[in-house]
Amino acid sequence: MSARVIADPRKNRRVGLLAAGGAVAMLGLGYASVPLYRLFCQVTGYGGTTQRADALTASAIKVAGKVVTVRFDANVAKTLPWEFKPEQIKQDLKLGERKIATYRARNLTGRTITGTAMFNVSPEQAGKYFNKIQCFCFTEQKLLPGQDVRMPVIYYVDPAILDDPAARNIEEITLSYTFTETADSAAAALEKPIALSMEKPLDPARTRR
């Protein structure tokens, strides 16, 4: 006759807590991996991710003789009803020279929309040396119904690119932006019709019954 196995409630509780703790830890790592990945891209220029520099750092950069051409590209997500385009097709600049370019965005709807711009440069080897001092992509952009705005970006290409065998021969860089609507803005658009329907007055004929 086989012995009966009696479950230990304390042991089961301990196993359950360990499993729950592991799940929470994995979830935390998942969220943490996003900023860590962004930091990795920022430091290495991976995928054409550009760099961010302050005005003091930029002022210490010496201008080199080589000239590169920067082309400008603009896109919007299919779900974002904005018009978005660069005000110049390209700019020529010396390495280390600061330039300002402008983009234009217009809200084509009757509601307020907040957008955020994703960005990169190509070829991707240039990302490590493409520095932005000021950019509309640093913050979310809120456009009122029908609003038309000009948005600047101040940038330079670090002369250190000449010391990189994989990037020193680059003569043209394309700076691309893609605007998407923020999650909060999209959620607000879905909630508004519901709120309006709740505020609609009752039919007088029904109130007399």
Side-chain angles (χ1 to χ4, degrees):
M1 182 176 180
S2 59
R4 184 180 178 185
V5 178
I6 301 176
D8 185 348
R10 291 176 298 177
K11 185 177 180 180
N12 290 342
R13 189 181 303 112
R14 185 164 58 250
V15 173
L17 289 173
L18 287 173
V24 171
M26 292 299 293
L27 182 63
L29 287 173
Y31 279 106
S33 66
V34 175
L36 287 175
Y37 177 76
R38 289 176 179 171
L39 178 61
F40 168 77
C41 292
Q42 184 73 28
V43 172
T44 64
Y46 180 77
T49 303
T50 60
Q51 310 301 300
R52 185 169 178 173
D54 55 44
L56 183 61
T57 300
S59 65
I61 300 295
K62 294 183 179 180
V63 177
K66 181 178 177 179
V67 175
V68 295
T69 299
V70 176
R71 290 186 175 273
F72 303 93
D73 179 52
N75 307 277
V76 292
K78 293 181 179 180
T79 55
L80 179 63
W82 281 10
E83 182 181 81
F84 176 55
K85 59 185 178 181
E87 292 195 311
Q88 60 287 301
I89 298 174
K90 64 179 182 178
Q91 289 179 336
D92 294 330
L93 69 155
K94 294 180 179 180
L95 295 179
E97 179 184 6
R98 281 174 284 180
K99 283 278 190 176
I100 180 169
T102 53
Y103 282 75
R104 200 172 201 106
R106 183 162 68 97
N107 183 353
L108 303 176
T109 74
R111 67 180 178 92
T112 298
I113 300 178
T114 302
T116 182
M118 298 181 292
F119 52 86
N120 75 315
V121 295
S122 60
E124 65 178 43
Q125 295 93 329
K128 188 176 180 179
Y129 307 100
F130 197 101
N131 290 266
K132 297 174 185 173
I133 304 168
Q134 180 182 328
C135 183
F136 56 88
C137 60
F138 292 164
T139 58
E140 296 178 350
Q141 301 296 320
K142 179 183 289 185
L143 269 63
L144 301 177
Q147 186 177 9
D148 189 326
V149 297
R150 297 176 73 238
M151 300 182 293
V153 51
I154 302 175
Y155 69 97
Y156 68 91
V157 180
D158 196 327
I161 195 173
L162 296 174
D163 299 324
D164 186 344
R168 65 174 57 162
N169 294 322
I170 293 175
E171 296 183 351
E172 184 172 290
I173 300 171
T174 299
L175 174 61
S176 297
Y177 290 99
T178 300
F179 255 110
T180 60
E181 185 171 7
T182 64
D184 289 344
S185 178
L190 293 174
E191 292 172 0
K192 189 173 181 180
I194 298 176
L196 289 175
S197 65
M198 293 178 65
E199 294 173 2
K200 186 177 179 180
L202 294 174
D203 186 345
R206 293 183 178 182
T207 60
R208 290 195 295 268
R209 293 179 181 178

